[in-house]
Amino acid sequence: MSDAKISLPIYMDYQATTPLDPRVLEDMMPYLTGKFGNPHSSSHKYGWETADAVERARAQVAATIGAQEKEIVFTSGATESNNLAIKGAGRFYRKYRDHMITVATEHKCVLESMAAMEREGYSVTYLPVAADGIVDLDGLRESITERTLLVSVMSVNNEIGVIQNLAGIGAVCRERRVFFHTDAAQAVGKMPLDVTADNIDMMSISGHKLYGPKGIGALYVRAGARLKLDPIMSGGGQEGGLRSGTLSPALCVGLGSACATASGEMAAEAIRLRGQFDRFVDGIRARLPDAVLNGHRHRRIPGNVSLSFPDVDGALLLARLRELAVSSGAACASAVAEPSYVLRALGIPERLAQASIRFGIGRFTTDAEIDYAIDTVTSNVTRLRKAV
Ligand SMILES: *Cc1c(COP(=O)(O)O)cnc(C)c1O
């Protein structure tokens, strides 16, 4: 056995968060120790040196998505970015528009921001997805009216890893003259993104999903007079008035460094992850041929493997997989595990959805860990089935 180097439990929850890359921490360290100036202090060296660091980081974030520096607003994370995009645009344009469009499988912070706008007078269309998790472009086109302000569709789904057709959605939004916002928390640093090519007006980014620190994110806001937002935070008018409050230079530097690191390694890392994805799925299927991969077969990022195991009690299986840090496809808010709303939206039968597990593969996953995970999953599923 080669698992002497494996430390248990094996981390396979990369969609929930990622560990901070040591190279990113190294870049952050000077701003957690000696360089403590307020980046908004413009009259002395302490402020200048941290302001410079913040602007270098802003350029790194912008470069990752094909944006300009002035189009990047630092926030506390993708939750805040999604709130700012949806509520900010909604409130600014309230007198002119009263309809927004999103998708049933979005992250809660998008859905709850939309619900807040419904309470403020907007009507919201929640588009369904096909069984593969992809939004239908014709359905999107038909739901846009002259009262529609914006369309918000996530780039990559956090539960099943499917990639939406950003270029197609962007083209529809441009043709119908509505704003296009995308929650790219699971996409940035993992796949090439180009806000100009795909006609994206706003994009939400999260530091801790791409090996950066927690508590930092960004909202890309297309420059030009066309797109205006009402800020959520009132105060000193930092970040072009869109996000008041003193920036954390260490966290900004961490986000910039994480973006630059991920961009530089993206092509090679995607190939490595694809290999581990195939190794994992093939390994599971060799012993459990009826395991179902949730989401589109090909339009997906390799780091997210959502699998359903027929004829197994999902709660029991998760309890048995103590050696893996994974998350289930069920929301355990109540004593009875309910299938997640994302799996439900795919039309996955309840008995399958309750036995779904999301395995995350990431930058620090080793082949030995993949093999260990295959072993423990297949042996536990087999044992649970025999026990019935
Ligand atoms: C993690 C995540 C968020 C929330 O990001 P935070 O930075 O933790 O606020 C939003 N959307 C998606 C798709 C995510 O995966």
Side-chain angles (χ1 to χ4, degrees):
M1 291 293 274
S2 65
D3 43 49
K5 286 181 301 228
I6 292 177
S7 78
L8 298 174
I10 297 169
Y11 191 72
M12 295 190 88
D13 208 6
Y14 282 90
Q15 282 69 41
T17 194
T18 57
L20 187 67
D21 190 301
R23 296 167 292 182
V24 173
L25 176 63
E26 198 177 313
D27 289 344
M28 291 170 64
M29 279 308 279
Y31 302 94
L32 290 163
T33 49
K35 299 183 178 179
F36 66 89
N38 184 325
H40 314 293
S41 298
S42 53
S43 57
H44 51 71
K45 175 178 176 285
Y46 295 90
W48 300 332
E49 68 186 7
T50 52
D52 284 350
V54 166
E55 294 318 308
R56 279 195 302 276
R58 198 186 302 281
Q60 289 173 310
V61 176
T64 301
I65 60 170
Q68 304 168 52
E69 289 154 48
K70 63 177 182 192
E71 297 177 309
I72 301 298
V73 177
F74 284 114
T75 66
S76 63
T79 298
E80 185 186 336
S81 298
N82 288 335
N83 273 265
L84 178 56
I86 293 164
K87 294 177 182 172
R91 288 170 188 163
F92 189 90
Y93 293 99
R94 182 161 28 202
K95 275 187 272 173
Y96 313 101
R97 302 287 172 100
D98 64 1
H99 178 231
M100 296 187 187
I101 298 169
T102 190
V103 182
T105 52
E106 292 292 313
H107 193 273
K108 278 286 178 201
C109 59
V110 166
L111 296 176
E112 290 301 319
S113 294
M114 289 287 176
M117 297 322 291
E118 285 183 296
R119 292 191 291 274
E120 293 183 24
Y122 275 85
S123 71
V124 177
T125 300
Y126 298 89
L127 293 172
V129 292
D132 59 11
I134 306 289
V135 174
D136 174 48
L137 285 190
D138 291 328
L140 169 63
R141 201 178 279 111
E142 282 161 21
S143 67
I144 297 175
T145 74
E146 64 280 3
R147 304 168 73 161
T148 307
L149 172 67
L150 78 87
V151 170
S152 180
V153 181
M154 70 205 311
S155 304
V156 171
N157 186 273
N158 48 301
E159 286 196 35
I160 54 174
V162 300
I163 303 170
Q164 295 295 348
N165 179 358
L166 298 181
I169 296 166
V172 169
C173 290
R174 165 166 294 178
E175 171 194 314
R176 301 299 305 272
R177 297 169 156 273
V178 299
F179 294 126
F180 176 24
H181 164 252
T182 186
D183 173 358
Q186 296 284 345
V188 176
K190 313 216 164 92
M191 55 180 268
L193 291 166
D194 187 329
V195 290
T196 308
D198 290 350
N199 191 43
I200 293 163
D201 295 299
M202 292 186 279
M203 175 182 282
S204 300
I205 301 171
S206 172
H208 72 103
K209 302 295 176 76
L210 76 155
Y211 310 92
K214 293 170 180 62
I216 182 84
L219 179 67
Y220 154 77
V221 184
R222 180 180 292 281
R226 204 169 74 95
L227 176 52
K228 294 261 178 22
L229 303 178
D230 255 10
I232 292 170
M233 207 76 89
S234 306
Q238 290 92 344
E239 296 299 274
L242 285 179
R243 208 280 191 163
S244 285
T246 304
L247 287 173
S248 164
L251 293 180
C252 294
V253 166
L255 178 61
S257 170
C259 284
T261 305
S263 301
E265 298 175 352
M266 191 185 297
E269 180 66 353
I271 293 168
R272 192 188 70 81
L273 289 171
R274 176 65 58 187
Q276 289 189 331
F277 173 92
D278 288 341
R279 187 184 184 104
F280 185 65
V281 174
D282 293 349
I284 297 269
R285 285 254 178 82
R287 284 157 72 180
L288 303 170
D290 58 354
V292 180
L293 178 67
N294 297 314
H296 195 281
R297 295 187 67 80
H298 310 296
R299 285 165 66 164
R300 56 187 311 130
I301 55 158
N304 185 325
V305 192
S306 169
L307 291 173
S308 296
F309 301 98
D311 307 320
V312 170
D313 182 321
L316 268 182
L317 176 60
L318 197 65
R320 293 277 182 94
L321 295 181
R322 280 184 306 266
E323 294 178 323
L324 306 182
V326 290
S327 122
S328 84
C332 306
S334 58
V336 187
E338 292 259 311
S340 85
Y341 65 92
V342 172
L343 298 178
R344 206 191 289 263
L346 301 185
I348 294 172
E350 192 120 341
R351 63 169 187 87
L352 257 186
Q354 61 83 28
S356 299
I357 293 185
R358 180 185 68 190
F359 301 91
I361 303 173
R363 187 174 288 172
F364 304 107
T365 305
T366 63
D367 285 354
E369 288 177 333
I370 294 284
D371 293 344
Y372 194 101
I374 293 168
D375 251 15
T376 185
V377 170
T378 53
S379 58
N380 277 297
V381 169
T382 307
R383 221 173 295 146
L384 281 174
R385 282 179 180 166
K386 284 206 185 105
V388 178

